[in-house]
């Protein structure tokens, strides 16, 4: 698991189980359930780097679609609706992607 040592496996599993059905993902609920919302800014930045698969410094729509798979390889992809909702919630400057500061604000929201 990419977040070993940072997040509790049982909390991550519970968070993933809580959004296993299509269109059931809610980022606020997920970040709280997996424990990321209560982590330090450094841990949140490290999480961002894991999710930013292409190391572009941004989380783009395609990376968001596969967001849950960063927590478990067997997790589902987000639906288009969930992905767009997640992106619009995090993209505060309207550039179509989520930067590290936007991600930190989203996690702590």
């Amino acid at each position: 698991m990419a977040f070993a040592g940072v997040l509790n496996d049982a909390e991550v599993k519970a968070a993933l189980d809580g959004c296993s059905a299509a269109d059931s993902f809610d980022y606020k609920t997920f970040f709280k359930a997996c424990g990321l919302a209560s982590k330090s800014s450094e841990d949140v930045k490290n999480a961002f780097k894991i999710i930013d698969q292409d190391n572009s410094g941004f989380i783009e729509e395609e990376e968001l679609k596969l967001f849950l798979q960063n927590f478990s390889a067997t997790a589902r992809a987000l639906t288009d609706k969930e992905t767009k909702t997640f992106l619009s919630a995090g993209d505060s400057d309207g550039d179509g992607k989520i930067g590290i500061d936007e991600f930190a604000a989203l996690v702590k929201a």
Side-chain angles (χ1 to χ4, degrees), residues 18-27 65 68 76-85:
C19 61
S20 59
D23 292 323
S24 65
F25 176 78
D26 175 87
Y27 68 91
K65 188 175 233 358
L68 296 176
R76 69 177 180 88
L78 295 180
T79 64
D80 288 344
K81 179 183 173 188
E82 289 170 320
T83 303
K84 294 203 181 309
T85 300

Side-chain angles (χ1 to χ4, degrees), residues 58-100:
F58 296 96
I59 301 172
E60 292 88 11
E61 190 167 345
E62 196 52 40
E63 291 167 323
L64 271 186
K65 188 175 233 358
L66 304 176
F67 174 79
L68 296 176
Q69 293 170 6
N70 290 289
F71 295 86
S72 171
T74 58
R76 69 177 180 88
L78 295 180
T79 64
D80 288 344
K81 179 183 173 188
E82 289 170 320
T83 303
K84 294 203 181 309
T85 300
F86 197 5
L87 181 60
S88 65
D91 180 22
S92 59
D93 63 7
D95 64 357
K97 50 197 176 192
I98 298 174
I100 195 160

